[in-house]
Amino acid sequence: MAKVLVLFISVFLILQPLRAAQRDRFVFAQLRYDAQWDPYPETWQDILEFLVTTTSIKPEAGRRVVTLEDEQLFSSPFLVIAGTGRFPALSSKERDILRRYCTNGGLVFAEDSSGTRSGAFDVSFRREIARVFPEVKLKKLAAEHPMYRSYYLLRRIGGRRLTNTFLEGIDIAGRTALVYSQNDIIGAWAKDRFGNYLRECLPGGQPQRFEAQKLTLNLIMYSVTGTYKSDAIHQQYILEKLQR
Amino acid sequence: MNWNFSSTGIETAPVSITLAVGIAAAAAGIYIILKRSPRRTLAALRIAAMALALFLLLQPSFVRYNVSKRPALAVAVDVSDSMALSGSMAMARQFIKERKDELEKNFDVRWYSFARAATRVENEAAAFSARRGKSTDITGSLEEIRRENGESLAGILLLSDGNQTETNPGSVGAAVFPVDVRPAARPKDIAVRSVRVSDFAFKGTPIDINVGLHAMGAAGEVVTIQVKKKESAEILASKAVTINSGDETREVPLRFTPSSNDNLDCTVEALPVPGEITLSNNRASFSLEIIKDKVRVLYICGQPGPEYAFLRHRLKNDPLVELVSFVILRNPENIALVPENDLSLIPFPVHELFTRGLYTFDILILENFTYQRFGFYAEHLETIRRWVMEKGGGLLMIGGDNAFGRGGWAQTPVAAVLPVTCDTPQDVFDEALFKPRIASYENPLLQLYDDPKQNRAAWDALPELEGCQALGRKTGSEVLMLHPWKNYVVMACGESGNGRALALGANTTWRWALGSATTESYTRFWKNVVRYLSRTGGQKKLHVAFDQPEYTAGQNFNLKVRYNDDTKAGLLRGYFYEPSGARHELALQKRGAAEWTASGVFKDAGDYRFTLYDTVDGAKKILGTFIRAAGASGEKEDSALYFNEEALKKLAVSSGGEYYGAGSFSAEKLRGKTIKTATKTAKNSLALWHSPLLLATIVLLLLAEWILKKRAGMA
């Protein structure tokens, strides 16, 4: 009995530091669902490293994988949904949760990682989102959207494939609560174990990859600053810089 | 006269089934008797009796329909003022003159005139010479006509302009056939139909007013719209518009900037154009509550995170807040991978903000921010202290690794105004999830809802916070929340000179928004914080709502008052002055924690001045004064001088009738429409199932069967 108790306490003490407090830190959360949900299982590490190196954002170490019914979802204001195949139909309860998450302040970044137009993920995800938000539609984000200016001043968007020259989104109460891409932006980060990029970015090559990386960072920055860069005080500076 | 057979017992094909059963039973009986088999004869008698009984259970009856050669048609003539003023009455008179013979040939015509109620009259002349009405209730009048005539009425021919001035949600219950009686030449009239404006405005900030204007018969005229103060007739805004068509509805935008703190009672007036048939519809009124100014908030955040994103969104969406915010996106140790021109960063204007700039703000929020890395001088820190103490600013410091003692604030003049004692960099930052222990639910800052039970339930339902700074109590401050096991001060507030300060030891209130069913409690909490720190409240405490947008003399009014007093539960009282100067007390009835109702009557036309006051500690405090105007009876008629074709078409469709446009009416066509109704309604029935003859037949059949059985020795 004593041995069991010692073992239990030891396991508890070992595991304790793994649950570091999140507090106000950024958390890279990703949705696990019943299909191909994780096309690039390692990219989050490079994304977080890039984030820490270049900005003042303090992220929580590690990626948080959640389901829609996971309590931890509501401790994670930024959620990635990626996939290459069919996105499964959500239950009524799951739809309500996703709707509440977006309405209450969460930001979803969803991406068709196949980088194709009208692929299985694209068709099924659009159908499902139309059920979650029947009153609003995905629409193109304007070139002046604060997401394109939240940190880097982006004049174009990147990705592993240039399927679209724009992102789409759903706005709720003055903020974009869901961003949708078909360019496989996360795929542009994927590396092999020797540090070489795994997949070519077409048609723009490395510059297109860098644009994808900057866009990823802008997305994260938007999730923690909102429409900050739309404030009047920034406009003059931003316009001057864009005209240079 | 027609006779039809029907059954009320079963709706679908009962008669044919019953008859088929009866015929089959009879045929079987005849066949069996013909075979001369006594057993089969008995069976046939039994079957015949049962078939007959089954037939009677279906309650058969013969229905006699009286199809009159001339179905009854009510002709309803609208004799309200609007018909006469707009010229529609003349068109209706002309219509009847031309169609009277045709109508009387096809219908049994019953003449009615109506305005607020319907009156049966002898003939068309009496209908048109009836006394003009000051208001119109089309639906109610037609319903009255239908009730008076019962089901024999085939339909109602309606001669009206379609403008209903009385509220009546009822339905007619008979087919209505409106006829287009719009005048060929429209009379000239300019009407202010609506005023769209917010119920509050800020001093020094322009406010937009959208005036709904309707112009009839005034093509080419220039109309001037003016917004005036009701009391002094001072013109606040004015605009001239040219009317382009003979029947035009448009919205005219106007704008003015309130220059004082006084609430405004205003009129909107379309200045008369020569030849207008009425001027009583050229005016409308509205009231504006003037709020001193928006609460100006300066929010500085040391590190982007969910707390900043959520709180910024909350403040940005508050119409009473003007937000200026700065968040540090890059620290000196961060690497720039692109030229500066490709970054959206701007310099942090420390000197501009923390010298004179700070004095233009009401609230300063410092979240997880340290002054040490951004070129603050001692004078900037002293400015913050003086801004709170002398100017009466509201300071909020929110926790984090760079806040309070960890951010070096303990040794600055700012610490003097904070309502807590700061931690030291060596103190442990408790990182666990926790539910704060509420020290006082009654404090206005923590009152999410007026009802104490609901308020407590709302706090209980909020998700946990995460991480808390080791802050301590400070004499003279009020502790609002405590850490449940560490006893750190999570939230405290206090007065500092002329200003106020608030300390929040955790920067994870975003969890209250994301993790709750709705963001309602989160929103209310932060509204309370803004109200407290800005002192002004920045929110309307008194809300008054009348049950109707407009009144005329003689009408009753009901009003609802919401009074959110965040200091003491005062005793709300009120009175109003009639146009004659007579004063009446308002009988306010308490309906809820912050809600009252009252009712009364606007006896005469004119302005009624209402005053509401609170009696806290015996002293009378005026909360608000507002004016409601009651128009002269008949003004509503004057304001509706256009031909409301849409309303008439709707009435026709909803009642099962038809709208007849200009020249499309034909009495024969109308008869074709109404004949079906007449056939169905004029019925007379003879119930077979009541017939003693048929009941006796059943008894006789059963008796015959019994006698035959007896004779055949089968009983």
Side-chain angles (χ1 to χ4, degrees):
Chain A
M1 185 62 191
K3 280 183 184 174
V4 174
L5 192 65
V6 168
L7 183 68
F8 178 77
I9 291 168
S10 306
V11 170
F12 177 77
L13 289 174
I14 290 165
L15 290 177
Q16 186 65 10
L18 293 179
R19 200 279 174 209
Q22 167 190 343
R23 286 166 48 192
D24 193 37
R25 295 190 189 104
F26 168 79
V27 175
F28 189 99
Q30 189 164 344
L31 186 74
R32 185 206 301 270
Y33 56 88
D34 207 10
Q36 173 65 34
W37 63 276
D38 196 14
Y40 306 108
E42 311 291 338
T43 50
W44 60 269
Q45 297 174 45
D46 289 329
I47 293 171
L48 293 187
E49 195 183 321
F50 189 72
L51 194 66
V52 172
T53 309
T54 57
T55 76
S56 62
I57 295 175
K58 298 276 182 288
E60 190 181 45
R63 175 177 68 161
R64 181 179 291 169
V65 176
V66 293
T67 63
L68 281 176
E69 298 201 24
D70 195 331
E71 275 183 22
Q72 282 284 77
L73 175 69
F74 287 95
S75 297
S76 322
F78 179 77
L79 179 71
V80 173
I81 302 177
T84 50
R86 193 176 156 276
F87 185 74
L90 300 176
S91 67
S92 162
K93 185 181 174 190
E94 287 171 327
R95 274 185 217 140
D96 287 347
I97 290 171
L98 189 55
R99 187 182 170 85
R100 176 158 73 95
Y101 177 81
C102 291
T103 308
N104 285 13
L107 174 71
V108 171
F109 171 54
E111 179 160 73
D112 180 353
S113 305
S114 70
T116 57
R117 220 180 283 273
S118 304
F121 183 90
D122 182 53
V123 171
S124 52
F125 185 76
R126 282 179 190 276
R127 189 175 51 224
E128 206 48 44
I129 283 305
R131 286 178 184 150
V132 175
F133 301 103
E135 73 284 8
V136 283
K137 284 184 177 170
L138 275 170
K139 60 179 182 186
K140 287 181 195 175
L141 300 186
E144 302 77 34
H145 194 285
M147 192 170 299
Y148 298 130
R149 298 167 173 195
S150 59
Y151 192 74
Y152 294 105
L153 292 175
L154 300 181
R155 293 166 178 86
R156 65 194 75 85
I157 71 165
R160 186 179 61 78
R161 286 280 186 276
L162 270 188
T163 310
N164 290 324
T165 55
F166 52 83
L167 294 174
E168 292 172 86
I170 283 180
D171 284 2
I172 298 173
R175 58 180 277 277
T176 302
L178 187 144
V179 181
Y180 180 56
S181 150
Q182 289 178 262
N183 285 13
D184 194 19
I185 294 167
I186 296 175
W189 290 84
K191 288 180 180 170
D192 64 18
R193 60 198 176 107
F194 302 109
N196 303 309
Y197 284 113
L198 206 56
R199 309 187 75 174
E200 202 180 349
C201 287
L202 293 172
Q206 286 306 100
Q208 185 178 313
R209 188 186 306 282
F210 190 43
E211 289 302 313
Q213 291 171 337
K214 289 194 290 183
L215 180 56
T216 311
L217 195 136
N218 271 25
L219 267 164
I220 292 172
M221 191 59 90
Y222 180 76
S223 80
V224 287
T225 60
T227 55
Y228 175 50
K229 287 294 170 185
S230 300
D231 284 359
I233 200 159
H234 298 279
Q235 292 312 303
Q236 195 193 336
Y237 288 93
I238 287 174
L239 285 173
E240 278 175 14
K241 285 183 175 183
L242 283 171
Q243 282 163 6
R244 277 174 202 163
Chain B
M1 189 187 295
N2 290 341
W3 281 95
N4 283 353
F5 184 76
S6 78
S7 164
T8 54
I10 301 170
E11 289 294 332
T12 52
V15 177
S16 54
I17 293 167
T18 314
L19 285 176
V21 170
I23 290 164
I30 292 163
Y31 170 76
I32 291 162
I33 291 165
L34 286 174
K35 285 277 180 181
R36 304 232 175 244
S37 161
R39 190 174 289 274
R40 287 179 181 177
T41 306
L42 289 173
L45 284 169
R46 174 71 62 91
I47 289 167
M50 286 176 68
L52 197 53
L54 183 66
F55 177 62
L56 291 184
L57 276 178
L58 295 175
Q59 301 183 356
S61 60
F62 278 106
V63 182
R64 187 185 62 177
Y65 291 97
N66 278 324
V67 181
S68 166
K69 280 183 184 164
R70 292 192 310 143
L73 178 77
V75 177
V77 181
D78 182 348
V79 291
S80 62
D81 268 355
S82 65
M83 283 285 286
L85 286 169
S86 66
S88 287
M89 182 80 90
M91 293 301 289
R93 201 189 299 270
Q94 183 64 28
F95 173 83
I96 291 299
K97 193 176 164 190
E98 289 169 5
R99 306 286 184 168
K100 187 190 166 202
D101 294 343
E102 194 187 341
L103 283 168
E104 287 184 339
K105 189 177 149 197
N106 286 281
F107 296 98
D108 168 16
V109 179
R110 296 160 190 187
W111 296 97
Y112 285 88
S113 65
F114 75 92
R116 202 168 188 170
T119 311
R120 176 98 186 243
V121 290
E122 275 300 308
N123 49 38
E124 82 286 0
F128 284 104
S129 58
R131 198 176 154 198
R132 274 161 50 174
K134 298 290 180 193
S135 62
T136 317
D137 182 1
I138 301 174
T139 323
S141 301
L142 299 187
E143 195 185 353
E144 208 179 321
I145 294 171
R146 195 262 305 157
R147 269 204 311 269
E148 195 177 306
N149 287 275
E151 293 187 340
S152 67
L153 193 65
I156 303 172
L157 186 71
L158 176 64
L159 303 173
S160 169
D161 58 8
N163 284 312
Q164 170 136 343
T165 57
E166 295 295 313
T167 310
N168 189 339
S171 62
V172 178
V176 179
F177 300 89
V179 176
D180 184 345
V181 289
R182 83 183 78 197
R186 294 186 175 94
K188 193 183 279 186
D189 184 52
I190 307 293
V192 173
R193 295 260 289 272
S194 62
V195 180
R196 201 155 52 81
V197 61
S198 163
D199 59 355
F200 63 86
F202 297 99
K203 179 191 164 190
T205 305
I207 178 150
D208 292 315
I209 302 149
N210 290 294
V211 179
L213 190 74
H214 181 251
M216 196 165 63
E221 296 274 5
V222 176
V223 178
T224 305
I225 316 292
Q226 291 181 339
V227 177
K228 294 178 189 171
K229 274 188 189 174
K230 215 169 212 174
E231 283 188 345
S232 62
E234 179 194 338
I235 297 171
L236 299 168
S238 178
K239 185 176 263 186
V241 291
T242 306
I243 306 301
N244 298 316
S245 69
D247 190 355
E248 185 172 311
T249 302
R250 69 197 298 182
E251 209 161 66
V252 182
L254 289 113
R255 170 181 277 207
F256 75 95
T257 305
S259 55
S260 76
N261 287 335
D262 300 331
N263 292 345
L264 288 173
D265 287 308
C266 304
T267 54
V268 174
E269 184 179 359
L271 297 187
V273 293
E276 267 195 82
I277 52 169
T278 178
L279 298 181
S280 61
N281 57 8
N282 287 41
R283 279 168 168 235
S285 346
F286 67 92
S287 298
L288 272 178
E289 186 194 1
I290 306 299
I291 294 167
K292 188 191 79 177
D293 210 344
K294 283 194 178 191
V295 176
R296 279 179 53 84
V297 178
L298 174 62
Y299 181 4
I300 295 171
C301 176
Q303 182 185 303
E307 185 74 357
Y308 175 76
F310 280 69
L311 182 51
R312 179 195 148 77
H313 182 66
R314 163 86 283 285
L315 297 172
K316 269 277 170 192
N317 278 282
D318 190 333
L320 304 176
V321 168
E322 187 181 335
L323 177 70
V324 174
S325 78
F326 290 90
V327 53
I328 308 303
L329 301 184
R330 191 180 66 172
N331 288 318
E333 66 270 23
N334 294 127
I335 297 166
L337 298 174
V338 294
E340 283 296 312
N341 278 343
D342 287 345
L343 292 169
S344 65
L345 308 181
I346 63 168
F348 180 38
V350 174
H351 189 68
E352 288 86 341
L353 286 176
F354 291 96
T355 49
R356 262 190 246 167
L358 186 58
Y359 282 81
T360 65
F361 291 95
D362 300 296
I363 294 175
L364 169 64
I365 301 175
L366 299 170
E367 185 219 325
N368 195 14
F369 176 78
T370 175
Y371 68 93
Q372 291 168 323
R373 307 178 73 175
F374 299 101
F376 274 75
Y377 297 135
E379 67 201 51
H380 296 136
L381 302 172
E382 177 60 19
T383 302
I384 298 175
R385 189 193 69 80
R386 289 179 62 183
W387 169 77
V388 175
M389 303 284 289
E390 294 166 14
K391 197 258 174 180
L395 173 67
L396 166 63
M397 190 174 281
I398 304 177
D401 287 328
N402 296 309
F404 298 102
R406 289 168 175 267
W409 293 98
Q411 291 78 41
T412 69
V414 177
V417 294
L418 288 174
V420 288
T421 56
C422 290
D423 53 348
T424 67
Q426 292 73 41
D427 281 334
V428 175
F429 197 112
D430 193 89
E431 300 209 319
L433 288 162
F434 70 98
K435 276 224 171 203
R437 184 152 51 88
I438 306 293
S440 165
Y441 286 98
E442 288 75 35
N443 188 292
L445 270 162
L446 304 183
Q447 271 188 11
L448 306 180
Y449 295 92
D450 292 333
D451 178 44
K453 276 186 187 168
Q454 192 185 7
N455 186 44
R456 201 171 179 123
W459 278 107
D460 289 346
L462 285 176
E464 293 167 306
L465 297 176
E466 188 178 34
C468 182
Q469 208 135 3
L471 305 177
R473 289 169 187 267
K474 192 172 185 181
T475 311
S477 298
E478 185 176 0
V479 174
L480 303 167
M481 288 185 208
L482 287 160
H483 192 281
W485 57 86
K486 293 277 186 179
N487 242 15
Y488 296 154
V489 173
V490 178
M491 186 176 173
C493 65
E495 305 271 340
S496 285
N498 294 327
R500 284 177 168 177
L502 192 65
L504 189 58
N507 60 343
T508 49
T509 64
W510 59 269
R511 289 174 163 275
W512 290 345
L514 189 62
S516 298
T518 70
T519 56
E520 185 72 26
S521 294
Y522 175 80
T523 303
R524 285 171 184 259
F525 171 76
W526 281 109
K527 270 190 174 180
N528 287 350
V529 169
V530 170
R531 281 172 68 177
Y532 171 78
L533 288 173
S534 62
R535 278 183 191 273
T536 58
Q539 288 182 328
K540 194 175 176 181
K541 280 183 180 176
L542 185 73
H543 297 257
V544 180
F546 279 82
D547 59 341
Q548 284 190 51
E550 289 171 14
Y551 294 91
T552 51
Q555 277 193 302
N556 291 324
F557 68 81
N558 292 298
L559 65 84
K560 194 182 273 185
V561 182
R562 276 195 67 80
Y563 177 45
N564 309 307
D565 186 351
D566 62 358
T567 51
K568 290 178 182 177
L571 193 60
L572 192 72
R573 293 261 189 266
Y575 52 84
F576 67 95
Y577 286 102
E578 285 185 3
S580 64
R583 180 181 147 142
H584 299 273
E585 288 299 315
L586 266 178
L588 286 157
Q589 306 277 323
K590 202 159 191 336
R591 300 290 178 198
E595 196 172 299
W596 287 260
T597 58
S599 56
V601 61
F602 291 121
K603 279 200 292 193
D604 305 307
D607 287 346
Y608 287 72
R609 184 177 291 276
F610 290 78
T611 300
L612 291 167
Y613 62 96
D614 196 352
T615 49
V616 178
D617 302 330
K620 189 162 147 185
K621 184 176 117 193
I622 302 288
L623 302 170
T625 299
F626 49 97
I627 294 173
R628 260 293 181 277
S633 58
E635 271 192 9
K636 281 186 175 181
E637 283 295 312
D638 296 358
S639 64
L641 297 181
Y642 59 102
F643 184 76
N644 198 339
E645 186 177 5
E646 194 188 336
L648 292 171
K649 280 183 173 169
K650 265 189 192 169
L651 180 62
V653 170
S654 65
S655 67
E658 189 179 348
Y659 174 78
Y660 292 107
S664 69
F665 178 79
S666 144
E668 284 199 3
K669 215 160 95 182
L670 176 61
R671 189 176 173 190
K673 280 264 170 197
T674 56
I675 197 85
K676 204 175 164 190
T677 317
T679 307
K680 275 187 174 173
T681 52
K683 71 176 185 183
N684 215 338
S685 68
L686 176 66
L688 289 180
W689 53 284
H690 277 168
S691 166
L693 187 68
L694 286 178
L695 291 169
T697 308
I698 295 172
V699 174
L700 283 174
L701 286 169
L702 292 171
L703 192 67
E705 186 207 354
W706 181 76
I707 293 167
L708 283 174
K709 264 186 177 176
K710 194 110 180 156
R711 280 191 181 172
M714 292 159 70

